[in-house]
Amino acid sequence: MGLRLIDNPLIRHKLNTIRDISTPSERLRCLVEEISLMCMPYLGEGLPTHVRRIRTPLMEGDFEFIDEGSIVLVCILRAGLPMLSGALKALPGASSGFLAIKRDEKSLISKLYYSRLPNIKGRYVILLDPMLATGGTFQLAMEEIGALGPRHVRSLHIVASPQGIEEVSRKYPDVDLYVISVDESLNSMGYIVPGVGDIGDRLFTGNL
Ligand code: URA
C-alpha cells in the first residue's frame, strides 16, 4: 500500500491545535494521545481477526475480534509515549516495545540508545513516531525491528516531510506509512516546516 494519508477534518483540527505555539504541554500530550487513538481504525484495517462465540444479553452468537496478541506497538522514546497511550486504548491486548533514538542536533545523525522489544517474530508491528523528518530515526528503528522477523510493519506519523516519505518509501517499500500531514519541507536544522517544532520538548519540557 505504501503511503496512506489520513484525511479526516477532526484529526486535522487536532493536529492544527498541536501546531499552535500557544498550546501548552499538558494539552499537547492529550491531543497526541487522542489523535493516535483516532487513527487506530485506519491502522487496524487488514489486521488478523478471529471469530469467537459469545453470549450477549439477548442471545449467543459468533462475533469478530482482532487478534490483539499478534500486534506489537513500538514507541520511539520520548515523543512517541503519548501515541502509545492512545494506541493502547484501542488495542489494550497488544504488546509494547520501546526504542530510544536521538538525533545529534548538528550532524542530524540518529543514534540508538536503548532497545527493549518483545517477541516480534511473525507479528504485526505498528511503529509510533510523531515526526518523520529525515528518515534517520525510522531507518534505525527498522534495523532493530526488521532483524526480529516481523510479519508486517506499518507506522504512524502525525507529520512527515516530503524528503522523509521519499527516503523511507524507497528503502522500505513493504512498510505501510500512515501520515496525517505531509508538510512543505525540511529546514537545514532537520525540522519539518511548518511542522510543530521540537515535539519532544513541547510535550515534556514546556519549551517552545
Ligand atoms: N523532530 C521534531 O521534534 N520536530 C521536527 O520538526 C522534526 C523532527
Side-chain angles (χ1 to χ4, degrees):
M1 181 193 71
L3 174 64
R4 164 92 186 256
L5 278 176
I6 298 178
D7 182 14
N8 176 286
L10 182 54
I11 294 178
R12 235 180 347 262
H13 164 87
K14 287 183 185 283
L15 163 57
N16 292 336
T17 311
I18 292 171
R19 292 187 195 277
D20 186 340
I21 194 170
S22 68
T23 305
S25 292
E26 186 189 348
R27 182 78 194 113
L28 287 175
R29 287 193 293 273
C30 294
L31 285 162
V32 171
E33 184 176 328
E34 288 163 16
I35 272 197
S36 305
L37 172 58
M38 291 168 73
C39 289
M40 283 303 123
Y42 300 91
L43 280 110
E45 280 171 11
L47 287 177
T49 60
H50 60 274
V51 171
R52 201 154 33 97
R53 190 151 194 91
I54 57 164
R55 173 168 286 285
T56 78
L58 298 180
M59 62 167 282
E60 199 173 281
D62 293 326
F63 295 90
E64 188 184 22
F65 295 87
I66 289 185
D67 294 343
E68 290 186 67
S70 70
I71 300 162
V72 180
L73 304 168
V74 176
C75 155
I76 303 295
L77 295 172
R78 63 193 155 153
L81 277 172
M83 296 182 82
L84 179 64
S85 302
L88 277 173
K89 288 206 160 99
L91 297 165
S95 305
S96 301
F98 300 87
L99 296 173
I101 297 175
K102 175 148 173 47
R103 275 195 320 185
D104 179 90
E105 287 183 3
K106 285 212 175 76
S107 68
L108 300 184
I109 293 172
S110 299
K111 187 170 168 201
L112 175 77
Y113 288 90
Y114 175 77
S115 173
R116 184 85 191 193
L117 297 175
N119 176 24
I120 276 179
K121 194 163 178 52
R123 296 171 85 191
Y124 293 77
V125 172
I126 299 179
L127 178 63
L128 302 165
D129 188 5
M131 311 300 282
L132 175 59
T134 60
T137 297
F138 188 98
Q139 184 170 339
L140 276 184
M142 280 305 297
E143 282 166 14
E144 290 293 297
I145 293 165
L148 299 176
R151 171 83 187 268
H152 188 254
V153 181
R154 44 190 74 174
S155 69
L156 175 60
H157 308 282
I158 297 176
V159 182
S161 71
Q163 296 91 322
I165 298 273
E166 151 87 30
E167 179 75 6
V168 307
S169 306
R170 192 171 44 78
K171 284 194 176 138
Y172 303 99
D174 296 337
V175 175
D176 292 332
L177 304 173
Y178 291 76
V179 174
I180 300 168
S181 175
V182 181
D183 277 10
E184 282 161 29
S185 57
L186 199 59
N187 71 13
S188 58
M189 315 261 291
Y191 283 99
I192 298 174
V193 181
V196 301
D198 186 320
I199 190 69
D201 279 356
R202 290 191 64 211
L203 285 167
F204 294 112
T205 73
N207 291 348
L208 293 175

